[in-house]
């Protein structure tokens, strides 16, 4: 009987590689990133990663609405620190907009 070792870290990383990205292009306009899809419900790391990528894919002078999954609660608990850590003193600002009727939350990130 063969035995297999399983490294969950590799599985987790592999799952991120297969996850559909929130965008595949640079947005030269204001737009919304849908982070409410089922792939984000159990994966806060992926949600945060794709939220940051959405900001990176938004050109100066525009904003992106990050619409987060309800499973993670208010974005101040996880998203604000991640944005601050990634962008630091770069010229972006974010503001909490509202909770959606479906339970998710909207954070608008302005890229200056």
């Amino acid at each position: 009987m063969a035995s297999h070792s399983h490294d969950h870290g590799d599985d987790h990383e592999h799952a991120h590689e297969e996850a559909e990205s929130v965008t595949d292009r640079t947005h030269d306009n204001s737009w919304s990133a849908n982070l409410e899809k089922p792939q984000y419900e159990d994966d806060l790391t992926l949600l945060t990663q794709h939220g940051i990528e959405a900001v990176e894919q938004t050109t100066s002078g525009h904003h992106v609405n990050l619409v987060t999954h309800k499973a993670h609660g208010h974005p101040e608990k996880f998203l604000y620190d991640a944005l601050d850590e990634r962008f630091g003193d770069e010229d972006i600002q974010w503001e909490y907009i509202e909770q959606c009727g479906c339970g998710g939350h909207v954070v608008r990130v302005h890229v200056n």
Side-chain angles (χ1 to χ4, degrees), residues 23-85:
T23 187
D24 61 355
R25 65 185 177 91
T26 298
H27 293 261
D28 194 21
N29 59 334
S30 294
W31 65 292
S32 293
N34 181 0
L35 303 170
E36 291 185 294
K37 296 177 182 178
Q39 68 186 14
Y40 301 112
E41 183 174 6
D42 295 324
D43 198 339
L44 182 58
T45 301
L46 183 63
L47 185 151
T48 303
Q49 174 188 334
H50 283 181
I52 288 169
E53 289 173 5
V55 175
E56 292 171 340
Q57 293 291 95
T58 303
T59 60
S60 180
H62 299 97
H63 70 264
V64 58
N65 292 320
L66 303 178
V67 186
T68 62
H69 198 285
K70 67 181 180 180
H72 304 292
H74 197 287
E76 73 183 349
K77 297 177 184 175
F78 61 91
L79 189 58
Y80 297 176
D81 286 344
L83 290 170
D84 191 43
E85 183 178 316

